[in-house]
């Protein structure tokens, strides 16, 4: 393409369109002279709202793009490709016209319980079917329009992930507080359109457990296309006054496990899969061993904290001889601290103790006082809590943290850096990938690259 000759109409500012992040050298996009920073506004005259539109509209061998380069002058660009050839273009965002946010006022909304001053992205209350399709984010369906349903149907955006919580209208009103609640109707419209759904139920003690939960599961089990149901306990911080408990008591967690077990057995008989799954917290709080991996049926709600512990344990045990060897090769005089959330720490300590005698590697469960409440996962730890609970470990050692604790820039939730945490602690702090393989690599790395000796 000859850029200047094809440029024409000036546009004030793009209402939508995807900003090109990178162009693969030699690709069709590169041959058409697309460049990073260009905004692709439309494909064959159809406006581009997100990467789904891009994949949908640009699925042929040739199309005409409206491209807005950084100098704000629009161009028409024809791109062509051979069969099987990718376009070679990536975008800076997945959604181009703004993430849709929710209009609900859920009683348990975690975002409204957050203290001020955290990373901005944490406060985003997204309820966007596109992110549900692309990333597995749960949506409530209360903010879905007829046009949205038509688009989901047309582009067959399946599966989607739906937060349902309850089917009883009064309980739904109490929990979700939607301005207009047509979620159950939407749910059936999507199923009728052939869209598969993964469902989440946030379980709130004495609200949607017990008979309400049984009613919800019964309603869901009657519907083909409901691929899985994940039940997670209410999460609450100390920055609210409404909730004080959420199945932390052993008996309360055990009661939920017992209430769901008959459903799992019945659905295995009927459909060959457990279908309804409980978050790891229920087993940890009940002090009940996690179900075997095969009962998680390929972990359909892994990212929802369902089956992560089982997966870790199995991988850890498989890598047992290598982990033992890695610990034996640690440099003498370098104590290693594995710091993680309070909830998971006992599991990690137990698995480690079964492999190696205590001594050089210790597990520390960090208490989350920043959020308080029942927040006990590693991913929500902040620098003050880490510094407090790790400070008592040997000063000549090294601290290994799960990578989910920091963002891509190495910043913790409160904006402190991992490097700064190490400075405050007076010892080296490293991040690990949050799985058994990551732990093994981290231990090997300490052996190969021990921390510099203190002066
Ligand atoms: S739908 Fe999600 S983000 Fe919106 S209020 Fe409810 S819990 Fe919060």
């Amino acid at each position: 393409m000859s850029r200047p000759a094809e440029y024409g109409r000036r546009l004030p500012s793009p209402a939508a369109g995807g900003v090109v992040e990178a162009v693969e050298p030699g690709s069709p996009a590169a041959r058409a002279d697309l460049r990073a920073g260009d905004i692709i506004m439309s494909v064959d005259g159809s406006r581009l709202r997100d990467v789904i539109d891009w994949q949908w509209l640009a699925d042929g061998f040739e199309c005409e793009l409206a491209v807005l380069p950084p100098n704000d002058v629009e161009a028409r660009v024809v791109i062509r490709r051979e069969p099987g050839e990718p376009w070679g273009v990536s975008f800076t965002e997945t959604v181009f016209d703004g993430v849709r946010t929710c209009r609900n006022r859920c009683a348990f909304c975690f975002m409204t319980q957050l203290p001020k001053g955290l990373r901005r992205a944490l406060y985003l209350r997204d309820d966007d079917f596109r992110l549900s399709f692309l990333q597995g984010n749960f949506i409530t369906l209360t903010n879905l329009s007829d046009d949205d349903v038509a688009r989901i149907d047309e582009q067959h955006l399946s599966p989607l992930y739906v937060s349902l919580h309850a089917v009883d209208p009064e309980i739904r009103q109490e929990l979700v507080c939607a301005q207009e609640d047509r979620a159950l109707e939407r749910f059936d419209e999507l199923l009728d359109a052939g869209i598969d759904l993964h469902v989440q139920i946030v379980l709130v003690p004495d609200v949607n457990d017990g008979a309400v939960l049984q009613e919800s599961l019964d309603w869901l089990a009657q519907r083909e296309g409901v691929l899985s149901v994940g039940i997670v306990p209410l999460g609450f911080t100390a920055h609210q006054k409404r909730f004080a408990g959420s199945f932390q008591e052993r008996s309360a967690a055990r009661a939920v496990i017992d209430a769901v077990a008959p459903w799992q057995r019945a659905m295995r008989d009927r459909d060959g899969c457990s279908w309804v799954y409980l978050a790891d917290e229920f087993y940890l709080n009940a002090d009940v061993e996690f179900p075997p991996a095969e009962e998680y049926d390929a972990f359909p709600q892994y990212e929802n904290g369902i089956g992560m512990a089982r997966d870790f344990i199995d991988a850890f045990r498989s890598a047992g001889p290598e982990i033992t060897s890695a610990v034996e090769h640690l440099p003498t005089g370098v104590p290693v601290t594995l710091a993680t959330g309070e909830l998971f720490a006992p599991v990690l300590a137990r698995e480690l103790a079964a492999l190696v005698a205590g001594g050089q590697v210790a597990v520390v469960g960090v208490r989350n006082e920043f959020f308080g409440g029942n927040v006990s996962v590693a991913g929500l730890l902040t620098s003050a809590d880490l510094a407090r609970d790790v400070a008592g470990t040997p000063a000549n050692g090294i601290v290994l943290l799960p990578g989910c604790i920091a963002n891509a820039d190495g910043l913790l939730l409160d904006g402190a850096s991992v490097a700064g945490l190490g400075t405050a602690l007076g010892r080296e702090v490293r991040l690990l990938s949050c799985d058994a393989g990551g732990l093994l690599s981290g231990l090997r790395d300490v052996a190969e690259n021990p921390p510099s000796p203190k002066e």
Side-chain angles (χ1 to χ4, degrees), residues 157-418:
L157 305 184
S158 177
L160 294 180
Y161 293 76
V162 176
S163 273
L164 203 70
H165 310 313
V167 296
D168 180 291
E170 287 182 19
I171 300 293
R172 287 189 54 77
Q173 183 57 30
E174 182 180 346
L175 283 177
V176 182
C177 301
Q179 292 174 4
E180 183 192 28
D181 186 4
R182 294 175 59 194
L184 301 186
E185 186 186 326
R186 295 298 191 200
F187 196 94
D188 281 336
E189 286 174 9
L190 293 172
L191 290 176
D192 289 346
I195 305 300
D196 290 331
L197 302 174
H198 291 281
V199 173
Q200 170 182 252
I201 293 174
V202 174
L203 207 62
V204 181
D206 302 323
V207 180
N208 63 341
D209 56 354
V212 178
L213 176 62
Q214 295 298 324
E215 181 191 13
S216 300
L217 293 176
D218 189 46
W219 190 90
L220 289 163
Q222 293 173 35
R223 283 159 169 78
E224 201 178 331
V226 177
L227 298 184
S228 72
V229 180
I231 301 177
V232 301
L234 159 77
F236 64 91
T237 73
H239 304 266
Q240 52 83 46
K241 294 192 172 65
R242 191 167 185 161
F243 303 109
S246 176
F247 309 102
Q248 297 109 304
E249 299 299 326
R250 183 181 294 189
S251 58
R254 180 79 205 212
V256 176
I257 296 171
D258 290 344
V260 168
W263 281 101
Q264 294 173 317
R265 284 194 294 271
M267 295 306 273
R268 290 201 84 80
D269 286 345
R270 193 189 84 173
D271 295 343
C273 67
S274 298
W275 180 74
V276 54
Y277 309 91
L278 291 172
D280 294 351
E281 285 107 309
F282 287 109
Y283 300 100
L284 290 163
N285 290 338
D287 200 16
V288 167
E289 195 49 71
F290 302 102
E294 55 268 26
E295 291 185 15
Y296 284 103
D297 306 304
F299 301 94
Q301 299 218 15
Y302 183 87
E303 298 299 333
N304 204 13
I306 296 178
M308 281 182 171
R310 166 51 64 202
D311 187 50
F312 181 93
I313 290 169
D314 288 355
F316 189 91
R317 290 176 181 173
S318 296
E322 293 157 285
I323 290 172
T324 303
S325 170
V327 171
E328 288 169 355
H329 285 85
L330 287 172
T332 308
V334 180
V336 177
T337 299
L338 304 174
T340 186
E342 222 182 3
L343 195 63
F344 187 63
V347 176
L348 180 56
R350 180 192 74 187
E351 295 300 316
L352 194 65
L355 285 184
V356 292
Q360 193 164 2
V361 182
V363 176
V364 170
V366 179
R367 178 164 180 72
N368 196 324
E369 291 186 359
F370 183 86
F371 288 107
N374 69 342
V375 178
S376 53
V377 295
L380 292 176
L381 288 173
T382 54
S383 60
D385 288 329
L386 283 160
R388 182 197 63 238
D389 285 354
V390 173
T393 60
N396 57 333
I398 183 168
V399 179
L400 304 181
L401 299 177
C404 58
I405 225 162
N407 69 3
D409 299 321
L411 297 179
L412 303 168
L413 282 177
D414 54 0
S417 69
V418 172

Side-chain angles (χ1 to χ4, degrees), residues 101-112 124-127 138-140 142-143 163 165 175-176:
T101 54
C102 87
R103 297 183 304 244
N104 303 330
R105 288 182 289 113
C106 294
F108 49 78
C109 182
F110 198 77
M111 282 73 157
T112 59
L124 180 65
R125 301 199 302 168
D126 65 279
D127 199 17
F138 283 93
I139 54 173
T140 62
T142 57
N143 300 305
S163 273
H165 310 313
L175 283 177
V176 182

